[in-house]
Amino acid sequence: MAAVEWSSTRRAFEVAWLALVALLVAAVLDDELTRERTGEMRGVLVVSVAVDDTRDSRSGVKFDVNLDLSGMVDIVSDQNTLCLAYKAEPSSAASVHTVLHSVIHTQKERKKELQRMVAGEEKGLVLLDFWVSPFAQRCRIALAEKGLACESVEQELLGEKGELLLRSNPVHKKVPVLLHAGRAVCESLVILEYIEDAFPEVAPRLLSADPLARAHARFWADYVDKTVYGIGTRLWKLKGEGRAAARAEMLETLRTLDGELGGKAFFGGEAFGFVDVALIPLTSWFYSYEEHGGFSVQEEFPRLAEWARRCGERESVAKILTRPEDVLDFIGLLKKCYGIVE
């Protein structure tokens, strides 16, 4: 990731210019945005626009614009108009394309969205989401497995958090939050169980009907929750002895999970289930953990790697997981935010 030294004046100019570009593009393509969504982020400018009116509401709409930007852009978060973040990936020409991942909300749109959802006017399912969050992806995968329609509403997490998120999850103030007829359910594993309980007639069931098997699944999902992501964060945040200790813990954690998986197709046996949903979104982060920890999941834990490949063949997983390269770019953004220099 290229580093560019800017004066404060130059930086302010660049940020203001990018904000103007995003707003102009949103205005020109507003009609198109209300009609369709497009695919993954690539190495060109990508703007995500939240459109909210009385007829339709969409969030996280992405479209490509052939605008090549070099260098780095600071995060901009303006409550009334624009929230921007960025990531960068090298192009084939070894230059750096800046990908601008933005969410545009006017204050009026935020208020309308908040009033509609919290008042329960939205009778369906709404997920407060963040594009790279493995915890939000757990919920999306579970919903997709069951064929339950859900509106995903992208949240600003790197700048000022939105009013809807703060009101829906005032304790932790983080995603995911599932809104069901305006009522909030927080924390990803809690949401997975809520989906099981709220829609008991909808197959497939992610938790077994057997109490012992259910308890076993909850134990291992909780183990995943308390280990993988936190240890992985220490891997990319720390250096020296701290990173070495995190590496050892990660290998031990993956070894434990590999042992529990054994020769089974999935953690619960022959059927994709609760523990698989809990762990599979984190496999998109394995590449970044390998890069920072100097190990290979494929070489060290081939059964776990094969399980990840098997899960990745499921439509519910393939269409939701973030590309490992995009996760690595996002970690690069976080490192810049935290002032971490390799």
Side-chain angles (χ1 to χ4, degrees), residues 239-252:
K239 300 178 183 179
E241 293 183 0
R243 179 173 290 182
R247 178 185 186 278
E249 286 187 51
M250 179 62 78
L251 290 173
E252 182 60 30

Side-chain angles (χ1 to χ4, degrees), residues 132-135 137-142 145 189 192 206 221 224 228 257 261 265-267 272-286 289 304-314 316-318 320-322 324 327:
V132 76
S133 168
F135 306 104
Q137 287 172 6
R138 288 173 174 173
C139 305
R140 291 165 57 196
I141 290 170
E145 280 286 319
L189 295 184
L192 295 189
L206 298 177
V224 170
V228 180
L257 290 169
L261 177 64
F266 300 102
F267 277 91
F272 184 76
F274 194 77
V275 181
D276 306 295
V277 174
L279 180 57
I280 192 60
L282 289 160
T283 60
S284 290
W285 295 67
F286 282 3
Y289 300 158
L304 198 60
E306 176 60 21
W307 163 85
R309 184 200 60 75
R310 187 180 305 116
C311 291
E313 293 176 346
R314 303 181 71 85
S316 64
V317 175
I320 288 171
L321 290 195
T322 308
V327 173

Side-chain angles (χ1 to χ4, degrees), residues 4-5 30 59 82 135 194 210 221 232 313-314 330:
V4 180
E5 297 294 333
D30 182 70
S59 179
L82 190 65
F135 306 104
Y194 177 81
D210 176 62
E313 293 176 346
R314 303 181 71 85
F330 179 72

Side-chain angles (χ1 to χ4, degrees), residues 147-159:
L148 294 171
C150 181
E151 178 186 359
S152 176
V153 180
E154 187 81 0
Q155 299 299 297
E156 172 59 45
L157 298 186
L158 300 180

Side-chain angles (χ1 to χ4, degrees), residues 13-28:
F13 174 79
E14 294 286 352
V15 169
W17 181 78
L18 288 168
L20 178 60
V21 168
L23 289 171
L24 289 174
V25 170
V28 171

